[in-house]
Amino acid sequence: MTVTPALPRLPRRIDIREVGPRDGLQNEETILSTTDKVQLVDALSATGLTQIEVGAFVRPQNVPQMADTAEVFAAMQRRPGIIYSAIAPNVVGARRAVAAGADAVQVFLSASESHNRSNVNMDVEQSLSAVADMAEIVRSAGKSFDAVLSVAFGCPFEGDVPISRVLDLCARLLDLGAGQLTLGDTTGMAYPTLVQQVVLAFHERFPRQPLRLHLHSARGAGLANIFAALQVGISEFDSSIGGIGGCPFAPGAPGNLCTEDLVHMLHEMHIETGLDLFALMECARMLERMLDHVVPGQTIKAGVCKHLTG
Ligand code: ZN
Protein backbone atom coordinates (compact mmCIF):
# COMPACT_ATOMS: atom_id res chain seq x y z
CA MET A 1 0.00 0.00 0.00
CA THR A 2 1.31 3.46 -0.81
CA VAL A 3 1.71 5.86 2.06
CA THR A 4 0.66 9.43 1.37
CA PRO A 5 3.05 11.92 2.93
CA ALA A 6 1.67 14.73 5.09
CA LEU A 7 0.38 17.63 3.05
CA PRO A 8 3.15 20.23 3.06
CA ARG A 9 1.12 23.12 4.36
CA LEU A 10 -0.26 21.35 7.42
CA PRO A 11 1.58 21.35 10.77
CA ARG A 12 3.66 18.19 11.24
CA ARG A 13 2.86 17.85 14.90
CA ILE A 14 -0.20 18.75 16.94
CA ASP A 15 -0.40 19.44 20.64
CA ILE A 16 -3.59 18.27 22.34
CA ARG A 17 -4.82 19.38 25.75
CA GLU A 18 -7.21 16.84 27.22
CA VAL A 19 -10.20 18.58 28.82
CA GLY A 20 -12.45 15.58 29.55
CA PRO A 21 -11.91 15.52 33.34
CA ARG A 22 -13.09 19.15 33.50
CA ASP A 23 -15.13 20.27 30.49
CA GLY A 24 -16.39 16.77 29.86
CA LEU A 25 -17.39 15.69 33.37
CA GLN A 26 -18.72 19.15 34.21
CA ASN A 27 -21.51 18.66 31.69
CA GLU A 28 -22.34 15.08 32.69
CA GLU A 29 -25.39 14.38 34.82
CA THR A 30 -23.61 11.58 36.67
CA ILE A 31 -21.15 12.88 39.24
CA LEU A 32 -18.17 10.55 39.38
CA SER A 33 -16.55 9.69 42.69
CA THR A 34 -13.17 11.22 43.47
CA THR A 35 -11.65 7.75 43.11
CA ASP A 36 -13.06 7.36 39.58
CA LYS A 37 -11.83 10.83 38.58
CA VAL A 38 -8.35 10.05 39.87
CA GLN A 39 -8.36 6.74 37.99
CA LEU A 40 -9.37 8.57 34.80
CA VAL A 41 -6.68 11.26 35.15
CA ASP A 42 -4.05 8.61 35.93
CA ALA A 43 -5.06 6.56 32.87
CA LEU A 44 -4.96 9.67 30.67
CA SER A 45 -1.51 10.48 32.07
CA ALA A 46 -0.27 7.19 30.59
CA THR A 47 -1.39 7.95 27.01
CA GLY A 48 1.37 10.41 26.09
CA LEU A 49 -0.65 13.54 26.84
CA THR A 50 1.38 16.54 27.98
CA GLN A 51 -1.54 18.70 29.11
CA ILE A 52 -4.57 17.61 31.12
CA GLU A 53 -7.26 19.93 32.44
CA VAL A 54 -8.02 18.27 35.76
CA GLY A 55 -10.90 20.35 37.08
CA ALA A 56 -12.38 23.73 37.95
CA PHE A 57 -12.28 25.94 41.01
CA VAL A 58 -15.80 27.32 40.84
CA ARG A 59 -18.61 27.46 43.41
CA PRO A 60 -19.58 23.85 44.24
CA GLN A 61 -23.25 24.83 44.48
CA ASN A 62 -23.07 26.03 40.85
CA VAL A 63 -21.04 23.10 39.48
CA PRO A 64 -21.28 20.15 41.90
CA GLN A 65 -19.38 17.93 39.41
CA MET A 66 -16.21 19.94 40.16
CA ALA A 67 -16.57 20.20 43.96
CA ASP A 68 -13.69 17.80 44.67
CA THR A 69 -11.10 19.17 42.22
CA ALA A 70 -8.59 19.85 45.03
CA GLU A 71 -8.94 16.23 46.21
CA VAL A 72 -8.33 14.96 42.68
CA PHE A 73 -5.15 17.05 42.45
CA ALA A 74 -4.01 15.66 45.82
CA ALA A 75 -4.63 12.00 44.97
CA MET A 76 -3.61 11.72 41.30
CA GLN A 77 -0.20 10.35 40.31
CA ARG A 78 1.73 13.20 38.71
CA ARG A 79 3.89 12.23 35.79
CA PRO A 80 6.88 14.38 34.90
CA GLY A 81 6.43 16.40 31.73
CA ILE A 82 2.65 16.77 32.08
CA ILE A 83 1.02 20.12 32.77
CA TYR A 84 -1.97 19.54 35.02
CA SER A 85 -4.20 22.60 34.74
CA ALA A 86 -7.43 23.95 36.19
CA ILE A 87 -9.82 26.71 35.28
CA ALA A 88 -10.96 29.51 37.58
CA PRO A 89 -13.39 32.39 37.07
CA ASN A 90 -12.06 34.77 39.73
CA VAL A 91 -9.38 35.54 42.36
CA VAL A 92 -10.78 33.06 44.90
CA GLY A 93 -10.69 30.29 42.32
CA ALA A 94 -7.15 31.20 41.25
CA ARG A 95 -5.93 31.01 44.88
CA ARG A 96 -7.59 27.63 45.36
CA ALA A 97 -6.08 26.32 42.10
CA VAL A 98 -2.57 27.38 43.10
CA ALA A 99 -3.00 25.92 46.59
CA ALA A 100 -4.16 22.63 45.09
CA GLY A 101 -1.01 22.41 42.99
CA ALA A 102 -2.28 23.27 39.49
CA ASP A 103 0.66 23.79 37.10
CA ALA A 104 -1.37 26.23 35.02
CA VAL A 105 -4.55 28.18 35.62
CA GLN A 106 -6.92 29.40 32.92
CA VAL A 107 -9.36 32.21 33.49
CA PHE A 108 -12.43 31.88 31.34
CA LEU A 109 -14.78 34.52 30.10
CA SER A 110 -17.23 34.83 27.24
CA ALA A 111 -17.05 36.96 24.13
CA SER A 112 -20.74 37.86 24.58
CA GLU A 113 -22.35 39.59 27.55
CA SER A 114 -25.32 37.24 27.82
CA HIS A 115 -23.21 34.08 27.79
CA ASN A 116 -20.82 35.48 30.41
CA ARG A 117 -23.75 36.37 32.64
CA SER A 118 -25.34 32.97 32.24
CA ASN A 119 -22.01 31.19 32.81
CA VAL A 120 -20.41 33.10 35.69
CA ASN A 121 -23.12 35.62 36.66
CA MET A 122 -20.90 38.62 35.91
CA ASP A 123 -20.71 41.03 33.01
CA VAL A 124 -17.60 40.87 30.84
CA GLU A 125 -16.04 43.97 32.45
CA GLN A 126 -16.46 42.42 35.91
CA SER A 127 -14.75 39.25 34.66
CA LEU A 128 -11.92 41.29 33.15
CA SER A 129 -11.46 43.32 36.34
CA ALA A 130 -10.28 40.17 38.15
CA VAL A 131 -7.82 39.06 35.47
CA ALA A 132 -4.80 41.21 36.47
CA ASP A 133 -5.03 40.08 40.11
CA MET A 134 -5.44 36.45 39.04
CA ALA A 135 -2.37 36.74 36.81
CA GLU A 136 -0.36 38.10 39.74
CA ILE A 137 -1.50 35.32 42.10
CA VAL A 138 -0.74 32.55 39.62
CA ARG A 139 2.53 33.96 38.27
CA SER A 140 3.96 34.77 41.70
CA ALA A 141 3.48 31.08 42.53
CA GLY A 142 5.61 30.25 39.48
CA LYS A 143 2.70 28.82 37.47
CA SER A 144 1.37 29.62 34.00
CA PHE A 145 -1.61 31.89 33.62
CA ASP A 146 -3.71 31.60 30.46
CA ALA A 147 -7.15 32.62 29.24
CA VAL A 148 -10.03 30.94 27.45
CA LEU A 149 -12.49 33.11 25.53
CA SER A 150 -15.78 31.22 25.17
CA VAL A 151 -18.43 31.60 22.44
CA ALA A 152 -15.80 33.22 20.19
CA PHE A 153 -17.45 31.79 17.06
CA GLY A 154 -21.07 32.52 17.92
CA CYS A 155 -23.28 32.85 20.97
CA PRO A 156 -26.42 30.76 21.61
CA PHE A 157 -28.21 33.88 22.92
CA GLU A 158 -26.85 36.67 20.72
CA GLY A 159 -25.96 34.85 17.48
CA ASP A 160 -22.94 36.15 15.56
CA VAL A 161 -20.11 37.56 17.64
CA PRO A 162 -18.15 40.22 15.68
CA ILE A 163 -14.53 39.17 15.05
CA SER A 164 -13.46 42.70 16.07
CA ARG A 165 -14.99 42.13 19.51
CA VAL A 166 -13.19 38.79 19.88
CA LEU A 167 -9.88 40.41 18.96
CA ASP A 168 -10.44 43.40 21.26
CA LEU A 169 -11.10 41.04 24.17
CA CYS A 170 -7.97 39.06 23.28
CA ALA A 171 -5.97 42.31 23.41
CA ARG A 172 -7.40 43.13 26.84
CA LEU A 173 -6.60 39.63 28.15
CA LEU A 174 -3.01 39.85 26.90
CA ASP A 175 -2.59 43.34 28.42
CA LEU A 176 -3.90 42.01 31.73
CA GLY A 177 -1.32 39.24 31.83
CA ALA A 178 -2.69 36.19 30.04
CA GLY A 179 0.07 34.04 28.52
CA GLN A 180 -1.63 31.75 26.05
CA LEU A 181 -5.07 32.40 24.59
CA THR A 182 -7.66 29.80 23.67
CA LEU A 183 -10.70 30.61 21.56
CA GLY A 184 -13.68 28.40 22.36
CA ASP A 185 -16.53 27.36 20.08
CA THR A 186 -18.47 26.60 23.21
CA THR A 187 -21.78 25.63 21.63
CA GLY A 188 -20.59 24.30 18.29
CA MET A 189 -21.54 27.26 16.09
CA ALA A 190 -18.26 27.48 14.13
CA TYR A 191 -17.89 26.35 10.53
CA PRO A 192 -14.68 25.93 8.53
CA THR A 193 -14.58 29.26 6.69
CA LEU A 194 -15.40 31.17 9.89
CA VAL A 195 -12.61 29.34 11.73
CA GLN A 196 -10.15 30.43 9.03
CA GLN A 197 -11.43 34.03 9.06
CA VAL A 198 -11.07 34.31 12.83
CA VAL A 199 -7.62 32.67 12.91
CA LEU A 200 -6.28 34.81 10.04
CA ALA A 201 -7.62 37.98 11.66
CA PHE A 202 -6.06 36.92 14.98
CA HIS A 203 -2.66 36.29 13.38
CA GLU A 204 -2.79 39.62 11.57
CA ARG A 205 -3.45 41.50 14.79
CA PHE A 206 -1.17 39.39 17.06
CA PRO A 207 1.54 38.03 14.74
CA ARG A 208 3.69 36.44 17.43
CA GLN A 209 0.96 35.25 19.77
CA PRO A 210 0.29 31.48 19.83
CA LEU A 211 -3.37 30.48 19.65
CA ARG A 212 -5.15 27.35 20.82
CA LEU A 213 -8.64 26.34 19.66
CA HIS A 214 -11.29 24.63 21.74
CA LEU A 215 -13.78 23.30 19.20
CA HIS A 216 -17.07 21.55 19.73
CA SER A 217 -19.08 19.33 17.42
CA ALA A 218 -22.67 20.08 18.39
CA ARG A 219 -23.66 20.37 14.72
CA GLY A 220 -21.15 17.82 13.43
CA ALA A 221 -18.59 20.32 12.11
CA GLY A 222 -15.86 19.63 14.71
CA LEU A 223 -13.32 17.69 12.61
CA ALA A 224 -13.98 19.83 9.52
CA ASN A 225 -13.19 22.86 11.67
CA ILE A 226 -9.97 21.18 12.83
CA PHE A 227 -8.89 20.68 9.21
CA ALA A 228 -9.74 24.30 8.43
CA ALA A 229 -7.64 25.40 11.41
CA LEU A 230 -4.70 23.17 10.39
CA GLN A 231 -4.70 24.83 6.98
CA VAL A 232 -4.14 28.24 8.59
CA GLY A 233 -1.38 26.97 10.85
CA ILE A 234 -3.08 26.18 14.17
CA SER A 235 -1.31 23.32 15.93
CA GLU A 236 -2.78 23.42 19.44
CA PHE A 237 -6.23 22.06 20.22
CA ASP A 238 -8.41 21.04 23.15
CA SER A 239 -10.44 17.84 23.03
CA SER A 240 -12.31 15.56 25.38
CA ILE A 241 -11.87 11.82 25.86
CA GLY A 242 -14.88 9.93 24.51
CA GLY A 243 -16.27 13.26 23.30
CA ILE A 244 -17.97 13.64 26.69
CA GLY A 245 -19.48 16.93 27.73
CA GLY A 246 -22.65 17.33 25.71
CA CYS A 247 -23.76 20.80 24.83
CA PRO A 248 -25.93 22.10 27.72
CA PHE A 249 -27.97 24.17 25.25
CA ALA A 250 -28.76 21.20 22.99
CA PRO A 251 -29.67 18.05 24.95
CA GLY A 252 -28.55 14.91 23.13
CA ALA A 253 -26.21 16.71 20.72
CA PRO A 254 -22.49 15.93 20.91
CA GLY A 255 -20.45 18.63 22.56
CA ASN A 256 -16.70 18.60 22.93
CA LEU A 257 -14.57 17.31 20.11
CA CYS A 258 -13.61 13.70 20.85
CA THR A 259 -9.91 13.13 21.59
CA GLU A 260 -9.57 9.65 20.12
CA ASP A 261 -11.54 10.59 16.97
CA LEU A 262 -9.26 13.61 16.51
CA VAL A 263 -6.13 11.52 17.06
CA HIS A 264 -7.37 8.84 14.65
CA MET A 265 -7.89 11.45 11.93
CA LEU A 266 -4.53 13.15 12.55
CA HIS A 267 -2.63 9.85 12.52
CA GLU A 268 -4.36 8.94 9.23
CA MET A 269 -3.00 12.23 7.89
CA HIS A 270 0.53 11.36 9.15
CA ILE A 271 0.42 14.23 11.64
CA GLU A 272 2.18 13.39 14.90
CA THR A 273 0.43 13.75 18.23
CA GLY A 274 2.75 11.79 20.52
CA LEU A 275 -0.35 9.95 21.74
CA ASP A 276 -1.15 6.26 22.01
CA LEU A 277 -4.50 5.91 20.21
CA PHE A 278 -5.24 2.51 21.75
CA ALA A 279 -4.54 3.74 25.27
CA LEU A 280 -6.89 6.66 24.63
CA MET A 281 -9.59 4.27 23.42
CA GLU A 282 -9.16 2.24 26.61
CA CYS A 283 -9.71 5.46 28.61
CA ALA A 284 -12.92 6.14 26.64
CA ARG A 285 -14.17 2.60 27.35
CA MET A 286 -13.32 2.99 31.04
CA LEU A 287 -15.28 6.22 31.05
CA GLU A 288 -18.31 4.47 29.55
CA ARG A 289 -18.22 2.01 32.44
CA MET A 290 -17.87 4.80 35.00
CA LEU A 291 -20.68 6.92 33.53
CA ASP A 292 -22.81 3.87 32.71
CA HIS A 293 -23.69 5.19 29.27
CA VAL A 294 -22.30 5.15 25.75
CA VAL A 295 -19.99 8.08 24.98
CA PRO A 296 -20.32 10.10 21.74
CA GLY A 297 -16.86 9.16 20.35
CA GLN A 298 -17.06 7.22 17.06
CA THR A 299 -13.70 5.43 16.86
CA ILE A 300 -14.42 3.06 19.75
CA LYS A 301 -17.60 2.00 17.91
CA ALA A 302 -16.27 1.88 14.34
CA GLY A 303 -12.83 0.51 15.24
CA VAL A 304 -9.41 1.64 14.12
CA CYS A 305 -8.65 1.65 10.37
CA LYS A 306 -6.39 -1.31 9.61
CA HIS A 307 -3.21 0.47 8.63
CA LEU A 308 -3.12 2.31 11.99
CA THR A 309 -3.14 -0.95 13.91
CA GLY A 310 0.40 -1.98 12.99
ZN1 ZN B 1 -15.84 22.54 25.65
Side-chain angles (χ1 to χ4, degrees):
M1 198 189 82
T2 40
V3 175
T4 314
L7 296 173
R9 272 175 293 177
L10 302 181
R12 293 179 67 86
R13 191 184 168 94
I14 295 303
D15 171 61
I16 292 175
R17 176 168 62 193
E18 170 57 44
V19 299
R22 196 284 296 176
D23 193 17
L25 293 182
Q26 175 177 317
N27 291 307
E28 284 290 331
E29 233 167 82
T30 307
I31 301 182
L32 294 190
S33 68
T34 307
T35 310
D36 278 356
K37 290 180 187 173
V38 169
Q39 199 186 341
L40 176 64
V41 173
D42 287 349
L44 289 167
S45 295
T47 62
L49 284 161
T50 54
Q51 295 198 59
I52 300 174
E53 196 173 78
V54 173
F57 290 93
V58 289
R59 288 210 180 113
Q61 55 268 45
N62 294 349
V63 190
Q65 293 93 332
M66 295 288 109
D68 59 349
T69 295
E71 286 80 4
V72 177
F73 267 99
M76 69 192 192
Q77 299 264 318
R78 280 176 185 269
R79 284 201 182 213
I82 301 182
I83 296 166
Y84 294 97
S85 65
I87 66 163
N90 51 33
V91 165
V92 175
R95 283 205 187 96
R96 288 173 59 208
V98 167
D103 302 315
V105 179
Q106 286 108 235
V107 63
F108 59 97
L109 76 154
S110 307
S112 78
E113 286 295 343
S114 25
H115 190 269
N116 206 61
R117 191 155 280 289
S118 115
N119 205 25
V120 289
N121 202 25
M122 290 189 278
D123 61 37
V124 170
E125 278 306 320
Q126 282 175 302
S127 280
L128 283 167
S129 69
V131 172
D133 288 340
M134 293 175 74
E136 169 63 23
I137 289 163
V138 176
R139 290 254 173 74
S140 62
K143 314 294 183 186
S144 303
F145 179 72
D146 304 307
V148 180
L149 190 60
S150 305
V151 298
F153 299 88
C155 166
F157 310 119
E158 297 179 23
D160 292 347
V161 176
I163 296 176
S164 57
R165 178 171 169 83
V166 171
L167 298 183
D168 288 347
L169 286 168
C170 288
R172 296 277 303 276
L173 287 164
L174 291 170
D175 282 349
L176 291 166
Q180 194 184 40
L181 295 178
T182 300
L183 296 181
D185 180 28
T186 316
T187 61
M189 293 173 72
Y191 47 91
T193 47
L194 178 64
V195 168
Q196 294 192 337
Q197 276 180 307
V198 171
V199 169
L200 291 171
F202 181 94
H203 283 152
E204 194 173 289
R205 177 129 169 214
F206 310 104
R208 279 177 295 282
Q209 177 64 36
L211 177 65
R212 175 179 291 275
L213 294 185
H214 178 110
L215 299 170
H216 277 216
S217 206
R219 291 167 181 81
L223 288 175
N225 289 336
I226 290 278
F227 187 59
L230 292 171
Q231 288 178 312
V232 287
I234 296 292
S235 61
E236 296 171 273
F237 297 101
D238 285 356
S239 62
S240 177
I241 191 75
I244 57 162
C247 176
F249 299 96
N256 285 302
L257 199 73
C258 169
T259 303
E260 65 273 16
D261 291 355
L262 172 61
V263 169
H264 190 279
M265 185 184 85
L266 293 172
H267 286 186
E268 288 273 45
M269 293 162 68
H270 303 282
I271 294 175
E272 290 172 33
T273 64
L275 300 179
D276 179 337
L277 176 58
F278 294 94
L280 288 170
M281 290 166 70
E282 276 313 307
C283 290
R285 290 191 188 100
M286 182 173 84
L287 196 50
E288 284 194 323
R289 293 192 292 274
M290 288 173 173
L291 292 168
D292 199 22
H293 68 69
V294 172
V295 296
Q298 298 298 307
T299 304
I300 59 168
K301 296 162 196 146
V304 171
C305 287
K306 236 185 187 153
H307 49 280
L308 289 184
T309 58

Short mmCIF file of all heavy atoms in Angstrom, two decimals, residues 19 22-24 27 53 184-187 214-216 238-240 244-246 255-257, ligand 1:
data_model
loop_
_atom_site.label_atom_id
_atom_site.label_comp_id
_atom_site.label_asym_id
_atom_site.label_seq_id
_atom_site.Cartn_x
_atom_site.Cartn_y
_atom_site.Cartn_z
N VAL A 19 -9.34 17.83 27.91
CA VAL A 19 -10.20 18.58 28.82
C VAL A 19 -11.36 17.74 29.39
O VAL A 19 -12.21 18.26 30.09
CB VAL A 19 -10.76 19.86 28.15
CG1 VAL A 19 -9.62 20.80 27.74
CG2 VAL A 19 -11.66 19.53 26.97
N ARG A 22 -12.44 17.90 33.10
CA ARG A 22 -13.09 19.15 33.50
C ARG A 22 -14.31 19.45 32.61
O ARG A 22 -15.44 19.28 33.01
CB ARG A 22 -12.08 20.31 33.45
CG ARG A 22 -12.51 21.56 34.20
CD ARG A 22 -13.54 22.39 33.52
NE ARG A 22 -13.09 22.96 32.25
CZ ARG A 22 -13.87 23.67 31.45
NH1 ARG A 22 -15.12 23.89 31.77
NH2 ARG A 22 -13.40 24.13 30.29
N ASP A 23 -14.04 19.83 31.36
CA ASP A 23 -15.13 20.27 30.49
C ASP A 23 -16.08 19.13 30.15
O ASP A 23 -17.27 19.34 29.92
CB ASP A 23 -14.52 20.86 29.20
CG ASP A 23 -15.53 21.63 28.39
OD1 ASP A 23 -16.58 22.00 28.93
OD2 ASP A 23 -15.27 21.86 27.20
N GLY A 24 -15.54 17.92 30.13
CA GLY A 24 -16.39 16.77 29.86
C GLY A 24 -17.28 16.45 31.06
O GLY A 24 -18.51 16.53 30.99
N ASN A 27 -20.23 18.66 32.38
CA ASN A 27 -21.51 18.66 31.69
C ASN A 27 -22.21 17.30 31.72
O ASN A 27 -23.18 17.09 31.00
CB ASN A 27 -21.32 19.12 30.25
CG ASN A 27 -20.96 20.60 30.19
OD1 ASN A 27 -21.64 21.43 30.75
ND2 ASN A 27 -19.84 20.92 29.55
N GLU A 53 -6.47 19.01 31.62
CA GLU A 53 -7.26 19.93 32.44
C GLU A 53 -7.99 19.08 33.47
O GLU A 53 -8.90 18.33 33.14
CB GLU A 53 -8.24 20.69 31.54
CG GLU A 53 -8.83 21.91 32.18
CD GLU A 53 -9.66 22.69 31.17
OE1 GLU A 53 -10.80 22.29 30.89
OE2 GLU A 53 -9.15 23.68 30.63
N GLY A 184 -12.77 29.53 22.21
CA GLY A 184 -13.68 28.40 22.36
C GLY A 184 -14.92 28.53 21.49
O GLY A 184 -15.55 29.59 21.45
N ASP A 185 -15.24 27.43 20.80
CA ASP A 185 -16.53 27.36 20.08
C ASP A 185 -17.47 26.59 20.99
O ASP A 185 -17.87 25.46 20.72
CB ASP A 185 -16.35 26.65 18.74
CG ASP A 185 -17.67 26.57 17.98
OD1 ASP A 185 -18.52 27.45 18.18
OD2 ASP A 185 -17.84 25.62 17.18
N THR A 186 -17.86 27.24 22.06
CA THR A 186 -18.47 26.60 23.21
C THR A 186 -19.77 25.85 22.91
O THR A 186 -20.09 24.87 23.58
CB THR A 186 -18.73 27.68 24.28
OG1 THR A 186 -17.54 28.48 24.34
CG2 THR A 186 -19.04 27.10 25.63
N THR A 187 -20.52 26.31 21.93
CA THR A 187 -21.78 25.63 21.63
C THR A 187 -21.82 25.12 20.19
O THR A 187 -22.90 24.89 19.64
CB THR A 187 -23.00 26.55 21.91
OG1 THR A 187 -22.90 27.70 21.07
CG2 THR A 187 -23.04 26.97 23.36
N HIS A 214 -10.47 25.57 20.99
CA HIS A 214 -11.29 24.63 21.74
C HIS A 214 -12.59 24.50 20.94
O HIS A 214 -13.47 25.35 21.03
CB HIS A 214 -11.54 25.22 23.14
CG HIS A 214 -12.42 24.39 24.02
ND1 HIS A 214 -11.93 23.73 25.12
CD2 HIS A 214 -13.74 24.12 23.97
CE1 HIS A 214 -12.94 23.09 25.71
NE2 HIS A 214 -14.04 23.32 25.02
N LEU A 215 -12.65 23.44 20.13
CA LEU A 215 -13.78 23.30 19.20
C LEU A 215 -14.77 22.26 19.70
O LEU A 215 -14.38 21.29 20.36
CB LEU A 215 -13.26 22.92 17.81
CG LEU A 215 -12.31 23.96 17.18
CD1 LEU A 215 -11.66 23.40 15.93
CD2 LEU A 215 -13.05 25.25 16.87
N HIS A 216 -16.02 22.49 19.39
CA HIS A 216 -17.07 21.55 19.73
C HIS A 216 -17.66 20.97 18.44
O HIS A 216 -17.35 21.45 17.36
CB HIS A 216 -18.17 22.25 20.54
CG HIS A 216 -17.86 22.35 21.99
ND1 HIS A 216 -18.80 22.23 22.97
CD2 HIS A 216 -16.69 22.56 22.63
CE1 HIS A 216 -18.23 22.37 24.16
NE2 HIS A 216 -16.95 22.58 23.99
N ASP A 238 -7.81 21.74 22.02
CA ASP A 238 -8.41 21.04 23.15
C ASP A 238 -9.31 19.93 22.61
O ASP A 238 -9.95 20.11 21.56
CB ASP A 238 -9.32 21.98 23.96
CG ASP A 238 -8.56 22.96 24.83
OD1 ASP A 238 -7.32 22.88 24.88
OD2 ASP A 238 -9.23 23.80 25.45
N SER A 239 -9.43 18.84 23.35
CA SER A 239 -10.44 17.84 23.03
C SER A 239 -10.73 17.03 24.28
O SER A 239 -10.02 17.14 25.28
CB SER A 239 -9.97 16.94 21.88
OG SER A 239 -8.82 16.23 22.27
N SER A 240 -11.80 16.23 24.19
CA SER A 240 -12.31 15.56 25.38
C SER A 240 -12.41 14.06 25.12
O SER A 240 -12.99 13.63 24.11
CB SER A 240 -13.69 16.15 25.71
OG SER A 240 -14.27 15.50 26.80
N ILE A 244 -16.98 13.34 25.64
CA ILE A 244 -17.97 13.64 26.69
C ILE A 244 -18.08 15.14 26.90
O ILE A 244 -17.18 15.91 26.60
CB ILE A 244 -17.68 12.94 28.04
CG1 ILE A 244 -16.29 13.32 28.57
CG2 ILE A 244 -17.87 11.44 27.90
CD1 ILE A 244 -16.13 13.03 30.05
N GLY A 245 -19.20 15.53 27.49
CA GLY A 245 -19.48 16.93 27.73
C GLY A 245 -20.44 17.45 26.69
O GLY A 245 -20.10 18.30 25.88
N GLY A 246 -21.63 16.89 26.67
CA GLY A 246 -22.65 17.33 25.71
C GLY A 246 -22.93 18.81 25.86
O GLY A 246 -22.63 19.42 26.87
N GLY A 255 -21.02 17.34 22.17
CA GLY A 255 -20.45 18.63 22.56
C GLY A 255 -19.01 18.73 22.19
O GLY A 255 -18.66 18.97 21.03
N ASN A 256 -18.13 18.49 23.17
CA ASN A 256 -16.70 18.60 22.93
C ASN A 256 -16.23 17.68 21.81
O ASN A 256 -16.74 16.57 21.64
CB ASN A 256 -15.93 18.22 24.21
CG ASN A 256 -16.00 19.31 25.24
OD1 ASN A 256 -15.61 20.44 24.99
ND2 ASN A 256 -16.53 18.98 26.41
N LEU A 257 -15.23 18.14 21.11
CA LEU A 257 -14.57 17.31 20.11
C LEU A 257 -13.94 16.11 20.82
O LEU A 257 -13.35 16.26 21.88
CB LEU A 257 -13.49 18.16 19.46
CG LEU A 257 -12.98 17.69 18.13
CD1 LEU A 257 -14.03 17.94 17.06
CD2 LEU A 257 -11.71 18.42 17.79
ZN ZN B 1 -15.84 22.54 25.65
#
